[in-house]
Amino acid sequence: MGFLHQTGKSLLSLVSADARYPAALRAFLGQTAPAVVSALGDPALFDSPPLALFCSARCPGSLIVQATDLAHALADRGAAVIGGFHTPVERACLEILLAGAGPLIVCPARGMVKTIPAEFRQPLAAGRLLLLSPFAESERRVTAELAAARNRFVAALAARVIFIHAAPGGRTEALATEVIGWGKPVYTLAHPDNRNLVDGGAMDVCTLVGR
């Protein structure tokens, strides 16, 4: 019956003139910043500041183990995390983070969801989950183009960014290059298959989480 019935939260539309509209979107996306951002949850979670997680759809098995260890470490610390959580490894990390207690910002690559997934309802009610979408309500199907735009949106909002893996020549690697060019701190897991990220300027994530 609607968001208020399901979660007790109101759906907000943050226009660029709104004081709650994230200034980071204008700072990093410029003219491509969304005119309106739909938000369900507490906009105060913008102030966390969040750390973004990204991973290519295809990821070496040994990196998957490291990724879940990283997600557990972030959950244990109560770190604020933002992401689209679309690829298999990102989804696995989200499950771990939802079981923790830290703030979470989830950004679907489509218009705001009509039905709140069951695993989101308790964190939303508790005020530790914020759902954000920079897309019109009419965008109901996830496409590669929407996912790419969503990932830039997530990266712009993040204070720091972790790339678990970025396949050489892929969109995730291109995003990593762009974010490094923005001057944001970018991290990755120490692994031979992440040499492209290290060579591009990413730092060892152990310097961030102390592992």
Side-chain angles (χ1 to χ4, degrees):
M1 286 182 59
F3 292 133
L4 281 173
H5 174 75
Q6 292 181 9
T7 67
K9 304 293 181 182
S10 297
L11 180 64
L12 304 176
S13 292
L14 307 179
V15 299
S16 57
D18 193 310
R20 295 170 296 181
Y21 184 93
L25 294 177
R26 291 188 292 267
F28 293 101
L29 301 183
Q31 294 299 314
T32 64
V36 181
V37 175
S38 297
L40 182 63
D42 186 356
L45 294 186
F46 286 137
D47 302 328
S48 304
L51 181 156
L53 280 181
F54 293 106
C55 185
S56 289
R58 293 186 179 181
C59 182
S62 55
L63 268 171
I64 295 173
V65 175
Q66 290 189 50
T68 56
D69 287 346
L70 172 64
H72 280 294
L74 293 173
D76 290 345
R77 289 167 174 262
V81 181
I82 185 172
F85 302 108
H86 180 72
T87 69
V89 172
E90 292 170 2
R91 286 292 306 173
C93 290
L94 176 60
E95 290 179 12
I96 294 167
L97 293 166
L98 282 169
L104 275 171
I105 302 176
V106 178
C107 307
R110 49 174 287 184
M112 182 59 73
V113 295
K114 291 287 191 180
T115 302
I116 306 302
E119 67 268 27
F120 288 170
R121 292 174 190 169
Q122 191 281 328
L124 268 172
R128 60 174 288 251
L129 176 64
L130 175 64
L131 298 178
L132 290 181
S133 174
F135 305 113
E137 186 178 331
S138 59
E139 297 286 3
R140 307 314 307 166
R141 276 188 67 213
V142 176
T143 66
E145 289 70 27
L146 289 182
R150 183 273 315 283
N151 288 347
R152 292 186 75 240
F153 172 79
V154 168
L157 287 171
R160 295 161 296 177
V161 183
I162 297 175
F163 287 90
I164 293 166
H165 178 64
R171 290 193 178 196
T172 305
E173 183 187 58
L175 178 64
T177 299
E178 181 175 20
V179 176
I180 290 168
W182 288 346
K184 290 201 178 194
V186 171
Y187 302 86
T188 192
L189 296 168
H191 191 280
D193 287 320
N194 283 342
R195 174 52 57 186
N196 59 327
L197 291 168
V198 173
D199 289 347
M203 297 173 281
D204 189 332
V205 75
C206 288
T207 63
L208 176 62
V209 297
R211 296 174 59 250

